[in-house]
Amino acid sequence: MFKRTFFLPLLLALFLTACGEENQPQEPSAMFDRVDAALQSQGYERESVTRVVTAVLADEQGNEILYHYCETSFFGEIPSDFPLPNLSAIQAVVEEDKIQSTEVCKVCALDALRYRTKDGSFLCWSTDPEHTLVIQYDPSAVTDAEIMAMAESLPANQQ
């Protein structure tokens, strides 16, 4: 009787502790690794990972421009005919289902896309498959010409 009374609460405590650790918040990289491993076990292979760094710029009136730098790492050979701009990197910033119109243009002779959404505009281009730049802005606060001048002045275009 003593063994059952002692071991049953001990087993219950161990079970609750183990379950509690499963639900603890995890570092994003640990969660990413777990999801990646689960998908790979189902036959999927990692092709690329895109990291986005965003800078917020504001003028005296409080109008903001968001500058997104997207760096894509490939886990295999990059096809020689990889399309630019890198659309998968752009989709890390621009929600595809919110796009109302698309305009093809050039930034420093590089193919670029200007997306319009209900909430603003995005000027997007890639200097190569691994480096994509996106400027997000409100066209009522800053003109397309001003954004184009900003985009063409960025050092990233002269790589």
Side-chain angles (χ1 to χ4, degrees):
M1 177 78 169
F2 172 73
K3 286 182 182 178
R4 191 173 12 186
T5 314
F6 178 73
F7 287 112
L8 190 56
L10 181 62
L11 287 175
L12 183 60
L14 288 173
F15 175 74
L16 291 174
T17 302
C19 289
E21 288 176 8
E22 273 301 304
N23 295 322
Q24 293 297 320
Q26 297 181 359
E27 290 292 322
S29 62
M31 180 59 83
F32 180 82
D33 290 341
R34 289 182 63 199
V35 170
D36 191 47
L39 291 173
Q40 285 182 3
S41 72
Q42 298 296 313
Y44 290 90
E45 301 249 352
R46 186 188 300 176
E47 290 182 358
S48 65
V49 171
T50 299
R51 290 172 181 75
V52 179
V53 176
T54 301
V56 179
L57 305 137
D59 64 12
E60 295 93 25
Q61 291 80 33
N63 298 312
E64 290 185 346
I65 296 173
L66 303 177
Y67 171 67
H68 307 278
Y69 172 74
C70 309
E71 184 174 36
T72 303
S73 300
F74 292 88
F75 294 91
E77 209 169 306
I78 302 171
S80 60
D81 61 344
F82 191 87
L84 294 179
N86 181 341
L87 295 178
S88 65
I90 292 170
Q91 289 172 350
V93 176
V94 182
E95 294 180 59
E96 191 173 4
D97 61 334
K98 292 189 177 183
I99 296 172
Q100 294 177 334
S101 68
T102 304
E103 175 189 334
V104 177
C105 55
K106 297 272 188 190
V107 172
C108 292
L110 299 166
D111 291 334
L113 298 167
R114 185 184 325 269
Y115 295 113
R116 309 256 187 223
T117 68
K118 181 179 76 166
D119 301 322
S121 295
F122 299 82
L123 179 61
C124 315
W125 73 102
S126 298
T127 57
D128 58 55
E130 297 168 304
H131 303 98
T132 300
L133 306 133
V134 177
I135 299 177
Q136 180 180 351
Y137 62 101
D138 179 354
S140 67
V142 61
T143 67
D144 290 341
E146 290 171 316
I147 290 297
M148 188 61 73
M150 288 178 202
E152 292 190 341
S153 71
L154 291 172
N157 296 321
Q158 283 76 42
Q159 289 185 9

